[in-house]
Amino acid sequence: MAIFGVPLQAMFGQLLLGLVNGSFYAMLSLGLAVIFGLLNIINFTHGAVYMMGAYAAYILMTVLGIGYWPALVLAPLAVGIFGMVIERTMLRWLYKLDHLYGFLLTFGLTLVLEGLFRSVYGVSGQPYPVPDLLRGATDVGFMTLPNYRAWIVVASLSVCLITWYVIERTKLGAYLRAGTENPQLVQAFGINVPLMVTLTYGFGVALAAFAGVLAAPVIQVNPLMGSNLIIVVFAVVVIGGMGSILGSILTGLGLGIVEGLTKVYYPEASSTVVFVIMAIVLMVRPAGLFGREK
Amino acid sequence: MKRKLIAVLVGAALASAPLAPAFAQAGKAAAGAPKLTDGVVRIGVLTDMSGLYSDLGGAGSVLAAKMAIDDFKAAEKGKAFPIDLVSADHQNKADVGAQKAREWYDTQGVDMVTDVLNSAVALAVAKLTAEKKRILIDTGAASTRLTNEDCSPYTVHYVYDTYSLANGTGNAIVKGGGKTWFFLTADYAFGHSLESDTSNVVKASGGQVLGAVRHPLNASDFSSFLLQAQASKAQVVGLANAGGDTINAIKAANEFGLTKTQSLAGLLVFITDIHSLGLQIAQGMMLTDGWYWDQNDESRKFGKRYFEQLKKMPSMNQAGVYSAVTTYLKAVQAAGTDNSDAVMAQMKKMKINDMFTRNGYIRADGRMVHDMYLMQVKKPADSKYPWDYFTVKATIPAEEAFLPLAKSQCALVKK
């Protein structure tokens, strides 16, 4: 059996790979959505912190001899703290200004960060091995799926769902959402809103760093790895609806699959298909698929 | 008024600046020293300083050029003519590169430009160089157009080109039993030409091309394309791409177990790429290289001197810059002038013997012809010291390595 000339088995394989890439999109766009939704900042450093996550894992391994599993916790933690310092020292002065200022600051920061890593490590990239536990591949019937790719899907979906649950269904999440709607009022209830905002930014950044560590064994760890991805991730956020958390998760996964299919039928267009969809969505639903019109 | 005054002053300063050194040098020019237009031979290294090719060229190329100049001066025991080195970043943009070269030629008296990796930039600079009658010795670009349909009396193409890469790797693998091929091709001019050059070689040697998939430039995930390559059941998957794309493709090929049943052929792979991949993943791969630091005593000596400065081994491009600058300086010395036509005629007469090549020479079309090497990446267990990455599987003789003159479309080739 074949669908438009592609055997069904191959099709399943491609769909599964689309899902793997979609998990990356989901995790990165989730961080962006959280930061935009709660801080109103268009965080263009997201690609750079994703890269820093991968480099943190690389540095932990080569300098301190710390392996993949601890790095999965330590790298996001370290990069998250870096994010909080940025928020405390620079970003917080921009909340009252137009989006454009936050965008410009974070874009500038991205250039500085990428430049720093480039001058220290060069552009060829660094090797990072797949952890021993996840080496090898499993035959899932229609394809051989590398164990590590399966782990990527599991890890990123769990993180996404936990984040969604915390923000939408717990008391802490309610404070967060209230804090962004009306900070004065929430502060009046005795909640430290500036601290909450700092922690949220740190968390969003840590999510990107976590994605970076997940990506390190499968793609080349190089200073430009984030800029190749960030534009697509922004498109995902726009399609899903700026600030919508569930929207960014579902859109991320969906677009990963659409992109996967494009790679089979018309590979030349696979890097543009996301933007074509973005243009169509913006024409039909300017607020994005899951966004609310204001 | 004030602004006008400043403009006049600056103009006057600029106008007199080039004269000052000329006067200074005029006194020094002794008998036997070459006649130099402005008293100095100025060499420009135009390369990618910070982008995706900066590890192949960049600061390493500037260092190689500097080493060549220092060595030349040392060999002349302090009696060498004045030599000046300038460098610039072309940012992989043809317009930026051409603009910089124009500035060098027009206002800074640059006589020779080298490195110029990236074919688009190289073609633009080659055209300008011919217009200005200076010399371009390109070491980094891959396109055969530089010495074929777009050849010029002022261009030398020094290290490698897509024909020699395709020819070396394609030929050897087909002869070794890899008869059926599938290509993973970067979807732009360079990828397409590498694919078609290799396809021709494969077919001519009795192999068969089963298909190709064209991926966008900088596609970070290759798993989907590799699945298609796997489904083709071809014995060999040819990687008609470069840099990060090649690295990511090889990483994914390993992960998906493609390397167990099919073999990979890297069509443009540099030693820096192997370093970045690690031998565990890259082992067994075949590739063509124009120079390897561990090929003989002289190359080892150069490699180690270079390593002391930059903590990495030079690529064939960086070694090529060293050789190109040396060859050029020797030609200026021998011709007794820095006049481009005379120096070019001299270079085309010379045999090139240095740490880069034995008995290399520059053909009428500007192609520097030298032996190329078919390499195989070592197993981790066979690698005894840092950067011990390749085994030389075969030497491709100079006469076979490059496009034969009989097939050339270059107008400079007399038929």
PDB file of all heavy atoms in Angstrom, chain A residues 14 17 21 118 123-125 127 146 149 216 218-220 263 267-268 270-271, chain B residues 50-52 54-55 187 214 216 220-221 224 228 244 247-248 251 255-256 276:
ATOM      1  N   GLN A  14       8.426   8.591   8.501  1.00  0.00           N
ATOM      2  CA  GLN A  14       8.569  10.039   8.352  1.00  0.00           C
ATOM      3  C   GLN A  14       7.707  10.788   9.358  1.00  0.00           C
ATOM      4  O   GLN A  14       8.101  11.833   9.875  1.00  0.00           O
ATOM      5  CB  GLN A  14       8.205  10.461   6.927  1.00  0.00           C
ATOM      6  CG  GLN A  14       9.101   9.873   5.853  1.00  0.00           C
ATOM      7  CD  GLN A  14      10.517  10.410   5.915  1.00  0.00           C
ATOM      8  OE1 GLN A  14      10.828  11.298   6.693  1.00  0.00           O
ATOM      9  NE2 GLN A  14      11.411   9.842   5.118  1.00  0.00           N
ATOM     10  N   LEU A  17       9.483  10.780  12.674  1.00  0.00           N
ATOM     11  CA  LEU A  17      10.596  11.736  12.693  1.00  0.00           C
ATOM     12  C   LEU A  17      10.086  13.165  12.816  1.00  0.00           C
ATOM     13  O   LEU A  17      10.674  13.992  13.510  1.00  0.00           O
ATOM     14  CB  LEU A  17      11.431  11.609  11.424  1.00  0.00           C
ATOM     15  CG  LEU A  17      12.225  10.321  11.319  1.00  0.00           C
ATOM     16  CD1 LEU A  17      12.943  10.266   9.993  1.00  0.00           C
ATOM     17  CD2 LEU A  17      13.213  10.227  12.462  1.00  0.00           C
ATOM     18  N   ASN A  21      11.126  16.094  15.679  1.00  0.00           N
ATOM     19  CA  ASN A  21      11.462  17.508  15.477  1.00  0.00           C
ATOM     20  C   ASN A  21      10.417  18.410  16.098  1.00  0.00           C
ATOM     21  O   ASN A  21      10.732  19.467  16.642  1.00  0.00           O
ATOM     22  CB  ASN A  21      11.564  17.816  13.984  1.00  0.00           C
ATOM     23  CG  ASN A  21      12.830  17.247  13.407  1.00  0.00           C
ATOM     24  OD1 ASN A  21      13.801  17.069  14.120  1.00  0.00           O
ATOM     25  ND2 ASN A  21      12.806  16.950  12.125  1.00  0.00           N
ATOM     26  N   ARG A 118      31.644  31.863  19.352  1.00  0.00           N
ATOM     27  CA  ARG A 118      32.327  31.643  18.089  1.00  0.00           C
ATOM     28  C   ARG A 118      33.812  31.949  18.232  1.00  0.00           C
ATOM     29  O   ARG A 118      34.656  31.244  17.710  1.00  0.00           O
ATOM     30  CB  ARG A 118      31.705  32.547  17.031  1.00  0.00           C
ATOM     31  CG  ARG A 118      31.883  32.049  15.643  1.00  0.00           C
ATOM     32  CD  ARG A 118      30.860  32.651  14.748  1.00  0.00           C
ATOM     33  NE  ARG A 118      30.779  34.099  14.931  1.00  0.00           N
ATOM     34  CZ  ARG A 118      29.872  34.850  14.325  1.00  0.00           C
ATOM     35  NH1 ARG A 118      28.995  34.304  13.529  1.00  0.00           N
ATOM     36  NH2 ARG A 118      29.847  36.145  14.522  1.00  0.00           N
ATOM     37  N   VAL A 123      33.685  27.713  14.529  1.00  0.00           N
ATOM     38  CA  VAL A 123      32.355  27.388  14.020  1.00  0.00           C
ATOM     39  C   VAL A 123      32.169  25.920  13.641  1.00  0.00           C
ATOM     40  O   VAL A 123      31.073  25.504  13.327  1.00  0.00           O
ATOM     41  CB  VAL A 123      31.991  28.236  12.785  1.00  0.00           C
ATOM     42  CG1 VAL A 123      31.785  29.657  13.170  1.00  0.00           C
ATOM     43  CG2 VAL A 123      33.045  28.091  11.727  1.00  0.00           C
ATOM     44  N   SER A 124      33.247  25.132  13.670  1.00  0.00           N
ATOM     45  CA  SER A 124      33.102  23.754  13.200  1.00  0.00           C
ATOM     46  C   SER A 124      32.252  22.896  14.112  1.00  0.00           C
ATOM     47  O   SER A 124      31.752  21.864  13.705  1.00  0.00           O
ATOM     48  CB  SER A 124      34.464  23.082  13.073  1.00  0.00           C
ATOM     49  OG  SER A 124      35.123  23.599  11.973  1.00  0.00           O
ATOM     50  N   GLY A 125      32.102  23.303  15.329  1.00  0.00           N
ATOM     51  CA  GLY A 125      31.260  22.538  16.233  1.00  0.00           C
ATOM     52  C   GLY A 125      32.052  21.526  17.027  1.00  0.00           C
ATOM     53  O   GLY A 125      33.200  21.216  16.713  1.00  0.00           O
ATOM     54  N   PRO A 127      32.029  17.681  19.209  1.00  0.00           N
ATOM     55  CA  PRO A 127      31.334  16.398  19.291  1.00  0.00           C
ATOM     56  C   PRO A 127      30.723  16.194  20.679  1.00  0.00           C
ATOM     57  O   PRO A 127      31.290  16.646  21.670  1.00  0.00           O
ATOM     58  CB  PRO A 127      32.465  15.389  19.054  1.00  0.00           C
ATOM     59  CG  PRO A 127      33.712  16.079  19.436  1.00  0.00           C
ATOM     60  CD  PRO A 127      33.489  17.564  19.325  1.00  0.00           C
ATOM     61  N   PRO A 146      16.101   5.075  16.444  1.00  0.00           N
ATOM     62  CA  PRO A 146      17.176   5.183  17.430  1.00  0.00           C
ATOM     63  C   PRO A 146      16.573   5.460  18.808  1.00  0.00           C
ATOM     64  O   PRO A 146      15.677   6.289  18.930  1.00  0.00           O
ATOM     65  CB  PRO A 146      17.982   6.383  16.944  1.00  0.00           C
ATOM     66  CG  PRO A 146      17.635   6.542  15.522  1.00  0.00           C
ATOM     67  CD  PRO A 146      16.235   6.049  15.371  1.00  0.00           C
ATOM     68  N   ARG A 149      16.234   9.092  19.951  1.00  0.00           N
ATOM     69  CA  ARG A 149      15.151   9.925  19.404  1.00  0.00           C
ATOM     70  C   ARG A 149      13.847   9.681  20.164  1.00  0.00           C
ATOM     71  O   ARG A 149      13.057  10.596  20.368  1.00  0.00           O
ATOM     72  CB  ARG A 149      14.934   9.626  17.921  1.00  0.00           C
ATOM     73  CG  ARG A 149      16.145   9.847  17.077  1.00  0.00           C
ATOM     74  CD  ARG A 149      16.114  11.135  16.318  1.00  0.00           C
ATOM     75  NE  ARG A 149      17.428  11.382  15.752  1.00  0.00           N
ATOM     76  CZ  ARG A 149      17.716  12.384  14.941  1.00  0.00           C
ATOM     77  NH1 ARG A 149      16.802  13.244  14.593  1.00  0.00           N
ATOM     78  NH2 ARG A 149      18.922  12.557  14.490  1.00  0.00           N
ATOM     79  N   ALA A 216      22.136  18.150  21.837  1.00  0.00           N
ATOM     80  CA  ALA A 216      23.593  18.039  21.678  1.00  0.00           C
ATOM     81  C   ALA A 216      24.065  16.719  21.045  1.00  0.00           C
ATOM     82  O   ALA A 216      24.922  16.737  20.177  1.00  0.00           O
ATOM     83  CB  ALA A 216      24.288  18.276  23.011  1.00  0.00           C
ATOM     84  N   VAL A 218      22.531  14.756  18.964  1.00  0.00           N
ATOM     85  CA  VAL A 218      22.062  14.457  17.607  1.00  0.00           C
ATOM     86  C   VAL A 218      22.422  15.501  16.571  1.00  0.00           C
ATOM     87  O   VAL A 218      22.516  15.192  15.386  1.00  0.00           O
ATOM     88  CB  VAL A 218      20.545  14.185  17.537  1.00  0.00           C
ATOM     89  CG1 VAL A 218      20.235  12.838  18.113  1.00  0.00           C
ATOM     90  CG2 VAL A 218      19.750  15.266  18.214  1.00  0.00           C
ATOM     91  N   ILE A 219      22.580  16.738  16.949  1.00  0.00           N
ATOM     92  CA  ILE A 219      23.033  17.705  15.950  1.00  0.00           C
ATOM     93  C   ILE A 219      24.313  18.376  16.412  1.00  0.00           C
ATOM     94  O   ILE A 219      24.655  18.357  17.582  1.00  0.00           O
ATOM     95  CB  ILE A 219      21.961  18.737  15.544  1.00  0.00           C
ATOM     96  CG1 ILE A 219      21.683  19.697  16.678  1.00  0.00           C
ATOM     97  CG2 ILE A 219      20.686  18.078  15.075  1.00  0.00           C
ATOM     98  CD1 ILE A 219      20.807  20.837  16.222  1.00  0.00           C
ATOM     99  N   GLN A 220      24.995  18.942  15.430  1.00  0.00           N
ATOM    100  CA  GLN A 220      26.299  19.521  15.699  1.00  0.00           C
ATOM    101  C   GLN A 220      26.197  20.645  16.729  1.00  0.00           C
ATOM    102  O   GLN A 220      25.389  21.555  16.582  1.00  0.00           O
ATOM    103  CB  GLN A 220      26.811  20.075  14.366  1.00  0.00           C
ATOM    104  CG  GLN A 220      28.204  20.554  14.393  1.00  0.00           C
ATOM    105  CD  GLN A 220      28.444  21.470  13.209  1.00  0.00           C
ATOM    106  OE1 GLN A 220      27.514  22.026  12.635  1.00  0.00           O
ATOM    107  NE2 GLN A 220      29.681  21.633  12.857  1.00  0.00           N
ATOM    108  N   LYS A 263       9.374  16.974   3.636  1.00  0.00           N
ATOM    109  CA  LYS A 263      10.686  16.432   3.312  1.00  0.00           C
ATOM    110  C   LYS A 263      10.573  15.200   2.416  1.00  0.00           C
ATOM    111  O   LYS A 263      11.517  14.837   1.732  1.00  0.00           O
ATOM    112  CB  LYS A 263      11.438  16.065   4.590  1.00  0.00           C
ATOM    113  CG  LYS A 263      12.043  17.273   5.267  1.00  0.00           C
ATOM    114  CD  LYS A 263      12.682  16.908   6.579  1.00  0.00           C
ATOM    115  CE  LYS A 263      13.319  18.133   7.222  1.00  0.00           C
ATOM    116  NZ  LYS A 263      13.695  17.905   8.613  1.00  0.00           N
ATOM    117  N   PRO A 267      11.262  17.948  -0.859  1.00  0.00           N
ATOM    118  CA  PRO A 267      12.274  18.325   0.136  1.00  0.00           C
ATOM    119  C   PRO A 267      12.785  19.749  -0.006  1.00  0.00           C
ATOM    120  O   PRO A 267      13.107  20.390   0.974  1.00  0.00           O
ATOM    121  CB  PRO A 267      13.409  17.330  -0.112  1.00  0.00           C
ATOM    122  CG  PRO A 267      13.003  16.439  -1.199  1.00  0.00           C
ATOM    123  CD  PRO A 267      11.600  16.735  -1.589  1.00  0.00           C
ATOM    124  N   GLU A 268      12.820  20.272  -1.243  1.00  0.00           N
ATOM    125  CA  GLU A 268      13.348  21.619  -1.445  1.00  0.00           C
ATOM    126  C   GLU A 268      12.568  22.658  -0.647  1.00  0.00           C
ATOM    127  O   GLU A 268      13.093  23.698  -0.272  1.00  0.00           O
ATOM    128  CB  GLU A 268      13.313  22.001  -2.928  1.00  0.00           C
ATOM    129  CG  GLU A 268      14.346  21.284  -3.794  1.00  0.00           C
ATOM    130  CD  GLU A 268      13.860  19.952  -4.337  1.00  0.00           C
ATOM    131  OE1 GLU A 268      12.917  19.373  -3.749  1.00  0.00           O
ATOM    132  OE2 GLU A 268      14.411  19.497  -5.354  1.00  0.00           O
ATOM    133  N   SER A 270      11.131  22.190   2.290  1.00  0.00           N
ATOM    134  CA  SER A 270      10.942  21.867   3.700  1.00  0.00           C
ATOM    135  C   SER A 270      11.365  22.982   4.640  1.00  0.00           C
ATOM    136  O   SER A 270      10.900  23.058   5.761  1.00  0.00           O
ATOM    137  CB  SER A 270      11.678  20.574   4.046  1.00  0.00           C
ATOM    138  OG  SER A 270      13.039  20.705   3.759  1.00  0.00           O
ATOM    139  N   SER A 271      12.235  23.881   4.177  1.00  0.00           N
ATOM    140  CA  SER A 271      12.613  24.956   5.094  1.00  0.00           C
ATOM    141  C   SER A 271      11.668  26.148   4.996  1.00  0.00           C
ATOM    142  O   SER A 271      11.733  27.067   5.788  1.00  0.00           O
ATOM    143  CB  SER A 271      14.052  25.403   4.836  1.00  0.00           C
ATOM    144  OG  SER A 271      14.180  25.822   3.510  1.00  0.00           O
TER     145      SER A 271
ATOM    146  N   SER B  50      34.462  34.982  10.386  1.00  0.00           N
ATOM    147  CA  SER B  50      33.640  34.617  11.533  1.00  0.00           C
ATOM    148  C   SER B  50      32.454  33.733  11.171  1.00  0.00           C
ATOM    149  O   SER B  50      31.721  33.305  12.046  1.00  0.00           O
ATOM    150  CB  SER B  50      33.143  35.883  12.223  1.00  0.00           C
ATOM    151  OG  SER B  50      32.472  36.682  11.294  1.00  0.00           O
ATOM    152  N   GLY B  51      32.251  33.452   9.912  1.00  0.00           N
ATOM    153  CA  GLY B  51      31.088  32.668   9.513  1.00  0.00           C
ATOM    154  C   GLY B  51      31.367  31.183   9.465  1.00  0.00           C
ATOM    155  O   GLY B  51      32.322  30.700  10.084  1.00  0.00           O
ATOM    156  N   LEU B  52      30.547  30.447   8.677  1.00  0.00           N
ATOM    157  CA  LEU B  52      30.611  28.992   8.738  1.00  0.00           C
ATOM    158  C   LEU B  52      31.886  28.396   8.155  1.00  0.00           C
ATOM    159  O   LEU B  52      32.199  27.252   8.420  1.00  0.00           O
ATOM    160  CB  LEU B  52      29.368  28.366   8.092  1.00  0.00           C
ATOM    161  CG  LEU B  52      29.213  28.369   6.577  1.00  0.00           C
ATOM    162  CD1 LEU B  52      28.124  27.390   6.194  1.00  0.00           C
ATOM    163  CD2 LEU B  52      28.883  29.743   6.059  1.00  0.00           C
ATOM    164  N   SER B  54      34.922  29.844   8.677  1.00  0.00           N
ATOM    165  CA  SER B  54      36.070  30.514   9.292  1.00  0.00           C
ATOM    166  C   SER B  54      37.090  29.533   9.875  1.00  0.00           C
ATOM    167  O   SER B  54      38.240  29.894  10.060  1.00  0.00           O
ATOM    168  CB  SER B  54      35.610  31.509  10.351  1.00  0.00           C
ATOM    169  OG  SER B  54      34.786  30.874  11.283  1.00  0.00           O
ATOM    170  N   ASP B  55      36.678  28.292  10.152  1.00  0.00           N
ATOM    171  CA  ASP B  55      37.667  27.327  10.632  1.00  0.00           C
ATOM    172  C   ASP B  55      38.539  26.784   9.505  1.00  0.00           C
ATOM    173  O   ASP B  55      39.632  26.284   9.728  1.00  0.00           O
ATOM    174  CB  ASP B  55      36.976  26.152  11.334  1.00  0.00           C
ATOM    175  CG  ASP B  55      36.601  26.506  12.763  1.00  0.00           C
ATOM    176  OD1 ASP B  55      36.940  27.625  13.192  1.00  0.00           O
ATOM    177  OD2 ASP B  55      35.976  25.682  13.439  1.00  0.00           O
ATOM    178  N   ASP B 187      20.794  22.012  -1.654  1.00  0.00           N
ATOM    179  CA  ASP B 187      20.020  22.557  -2.766  1.00  0.00           C
ATOM    180  C   ASP B 187      20.480  23.956  -3.171  1.00  0.00           C
ATOM    181  O   ASP B 187      19.768  24.932  -3.014  1.00  0.00           O
ATOM    182  CB  ASP B 187      18.536  22.563  -2.371  1.00  0.00           C
ATOM    183  CG  ASP B 187      17.638  22.865  -3.555  1.00  0.00           C
ATOM    184  OD1 ASP B 187      18.064  22.619  -4.689  1.00  0.00           O
ATOM    185  OD2 ASP B 187      16.518  23.348  -3.339  1.00  0.00           O
ATOM    186  N   ARG B 214      17.290  16.500  -2.523  1.00  0.00           N
ATOM    187  CA  ARG B 214      17.881  17.834  -2.383  1.00  0.00           C
ATOM    188  C   ARG B 214      17.381  18.453  -1.092  1.00  0.00           C
ATOM    189  O   ARG B 214      16.188  18.678  -0.949  1.00  0.00           O
ATOM    190  CB  ARG B 214      17.459  18.720  -3.560  1.00  0.00           C
ATOM    191  CG  ARG B 214      17.674  18.076  -4.911  1.00  0.00           C
ATOM    192  CD  ARG B 214      19.031  18.418  -5.453  1.00  0.00           C
ATOM    193  NE  ARG B 214      19.462  17.579  -6.553  1.00  0.00           N
ATOM    194  CZ  ARG B 214      19.011  17.663  -7.803  1.00  0.00           C
ATOM    195  NH1 ARG B 214      18.060  18.504  -8.110  1.00  0.00           N
ATOM    196  NH2 ARG B 214      19.507  16.897  -8.746  1.00  0.00           N
ATOM    197  N   PRO B 216      17.453  21.592   1.897  1.00  0.00           N
ATOM    198  CA  PRO B 216      17.779  23.018   1.989  1.00  0.00           C
ATOM    199  C   PRO B 216      19.114  23.213   2.717  1.00  0.00           C
ATOM    200  O   PRO B 216      19.508  22.366   3.529  1.00  0.00           O
ATOM    201  CB  PRO B 216      16.645  23.603   2.819  1.00  0.00           C
ATOM    202  CG  PRO B 216      15.642  22.528   2.990  1.00  0.00           C
ATOM    203  CD  PRO B 216      16.273  21.229   2.681  1.00  0.00           C
ATOM    204  N   SER B 220      18.991  21.405   9.802  1.00  0.00           N
ATOM    205  CA  SER B 220      19.693  20.824  10.951  1.00  0.00           C
ATOM    206  C   SER B 220      19.330  19.350  11.137  1.00  0.00           C
ATOM    207  O   SER B 220      20.116  18.576  11.643  1.00  0.00           O
ATOM    208  CB  SER B 220      19.447  21.627  12.215  1.00  0.00           C
ATOM    209  OG  SER B 220      18.083  21.715  12.459  1.00  0.00           O
ATOM    210  N   ASP B 221      18.128  18.945  10.710  1.00  0.00           N
ATOM    211  CA  ASP B 221      17.765  17.549  10.904  1.00  0.00           C
ATOM    212  C   ASP B 221      17.779  16.781   9.579  1.00  0.00           C
ATOM    213  O   ASP B 221      17.066  17.125   8.645  1.00  0.00           O
ATOM    214  CB  ASP B 221      16.377  17.442  11.524  1.00  0.00           C
ATOM    215  CG  ASP B 221      16.005  15.998  11.721  1.00  0.00           C
ATOM    216  OD1 ASP B 221      16.696  15.320  12.499  1.00  0.00           O
ATOM    217  OD2 ASP B 221      15.066  15.523  11.062  1.00  0.00           O
ATOM    218  N   SER B 224      15.091  12.512   8.076  1.00  0.00           N
ATOM    219  CA  SER B 224      14.108  12.210   7.047  1.00  0.00           C
ATOM    220  C   SER B 224      14.773  11.919   5.694  1.00  0.00           C
ATOM    221  O   SER B 224      14.413  10.976   4.988  1.00  0.00           O
ATOM    222  CB  SER B 224      13.163  13.397   6.937  1.00  0.00           C
ATOM    223  OG  SER B 224      12.409  13.298   5.788  1.00  0.00           O
ATOM    224  N   GLN B 228      15.168   8.233   3.319  1.00  0.00           N
ATOM    225  CA  GLN B 228      14.962   8.083   1.881  1.00  0.00           C
ATOM    226  C   GLN B 228      16.192   7.455   1.225  1.00  0.00           C
ATOM    227  O   GLN B 228      16.075   6.624   0.329  1.00  0.00           O
ATOM    228  CB  GLN B 228      14.654   9.438   1.249  1.00  0.00           C
ATOM    229  CG  GLN B 228      13.371  10.039   1.786  1.00  0.00           C
ATOM    230  CD  GLN B 228      13.102  11.445   1.260  1.00  0.00           C
ATOM    231  OE1 GLN B 228      13.184  11.714   0.071  1.00  0.00           O
ATOM    232  NE2 GLN B 228      12.761  12.349   2.151  1.00  0.00           N
ATOM    233  N   GLY B 244      28.548  22.189   8.182  1.00  0.00           N
ATOM    234  CA  GLY B 244      27.596  21.720   9.180  1.00  0.00           C
ATOM    235  C   GLY B 244      26.601  20.715   8.607  1.00  0.00           C
ATOM    236  O   GLY B 244      26.187  19.777   9.290  1.00  0.00           O
ATOM    237  N   ILE B 247      28.289  17.350   8.493  1.00  0.00           N
ATOM    238  CA  ILE B 247      28.466  16.828   9.848  1.00  0.00           C
ATOM    239  C   ILE B 247      27.156  16.291  10.407  1.00  0.00           C
ATOM    240  O   ILE B 247      27.089  15.172  10.926  1.00  0.00           O
ATOM    241  CB  ILE B 247      29.050  17.928  10.759  1.00  0.00           C
ATOM    242  CG1 ILE B 247      30.491  18.200  10.345  1.00  0.00           C
ATOM    243  CG2 ILE B 247      28.971  17.525  12.225  1.00  0.00           C
ATOM    244  CD1 ILE B 247      31.136  19.334  11.071  1.00  0.00           C
ATOM    245  N   ASN B 248      26.086  17.080  10.263  1.00  0.00           N
ATOM    246  CA  ASN B 248      24.800  16.621  10.787  1.00  0.00           C
ATOM    247  C   ASN B 248      24.303  15.382  10.049  1.00  0.00           C
ATOM    248  O   ASN B 248      23.699  14.496  10.640  1.00  0.00           O
ATOM    249  CB  ASN B 248      23.764  17.743  10.722  1.00  0.00           C
ATOM    250  CG  ASN B 248      23.960  18.744  11.854  1.00  0.00           C
ATOM    251  OD1 ASN B 248      24.407  18.378  12.948  1.00  0.00           O
ATOM    252  ND2 ASN B 248      23.657  19.986  11.596  1.00  0.00           N
ATOM    253  N   LYS B 251      26.316  12.393  11.397  1.00  0.00           N
ATOM    254  CA  LYS B 251      25.853  12.055  12.750  1.00  0.00           C
ATOM    255  C   LYS B 251      24.553  11.250  12.682  1.00  0.00           C
ATOM    256  O   LYS B 251      24.412  10.215  13.318  1.00  0.00           O
ATOM    257  CB  LYS B 251      25.591  13.337  13.557  1.00  0.00           C
ATOM    258  CG  LYS B 251      26.780  13.813  14.358  1.00  0.00           C
ATOM    259  CD  LYS B 251      26.339  14.889  15.340  1.00  0.00           C
ATOM    260  CE  LYS B 251      27.253  14.923  16.554  1.00  0.00           C
ATOM    261  NZ  LYS B 251      26.865  15.925  17.547  1.00  0.00           N
ATOM    262  N   GLU B 255      23.427   7.286  13.672  1.00  0.00           N
ATOM    263  CA  GLU B 255      22.380   7.037  14.645  1.00  0.00           C
ATOM    264  C   GLU B 255      21.322   6.095  14.080  1.00  0.00           C
ATOM    265  O   GLU B 255      20.814   5.220  14.787  1.00  0.00           O
ATOM    266  CB  GLU B 255      21.760   8.392  14.973  1.00  0.00           C
ATOM    267  CG  GLU B 255      21.171   8.477  16.333  1.00  0.00           C
ATOM    268  CD  GLU B 255      20.317   9.721  16.434  1.00  0.00           C
ATOM    269  OE1 GLU B 255      20.529  10.664  15.633  1.00  0.00           O
ATOM    270  OE2 GLU B 255      19.447   9.741  17.276  1.00  0.00           O
ATOM    271  N   PHE B 256      20.991   6.264  12.799  1.00  0.00           N
ATOM    272  CA  PHE B 256      19.941   5.440  12.202  1.00  0.00           C
ATOM    273  C   PHE B 256      20.470   4.123  11.640  1.00  0.00           C
ATOM    274  O   PHE B 256      19.763   3.413  10.948  1.00  0.00           O
ATOM    275  CB  PHE B 256      19.204   6.233  11.115  1.00  0.00           C
ATOM    276  CG  PHE B 256      18.210   7.181  11.683  1.00  0.00           C
ATOM    277  CD1 PHE B 256      18.608   8.413  12.131  1.00  0.00           C
ATOM    278  CD2 PHE B 256      16.882   6.813  11.825  1.00  0.00           C
ATOM    279  CE1 PHE B 256      17.705   9.293  12.694  1.00  0.00           C
ATOM    280  CE2 PHE B 256      15.968   7.678  12.385  1.00  0.00           C
ATOM    281  CZ  PHE B 256      16.378   8.925  12.824  1.00  0.00           C
ATOM    282  N   SER B 276      35.640  17.718  14.386  1.00  0.00           N
ATOM    283  CA  SER B 276      34.392  18.062  15.058  1.00  0.00           C
ATOM    284  C   SER B 276      33.481  16.850  15.244  1.00  0.00           C
ATOM    285  O   SER B 276      32.739  16.770  16.218  1.00  0.00           O
ATOM    286  CB  SER B 276      33.703  19.168  14.260  1.00  0.00           C
ATOM    287  OG  SER B 276      32.321  19.050  14.319  1.00  0.00           O
TER     288      SER B 276
END
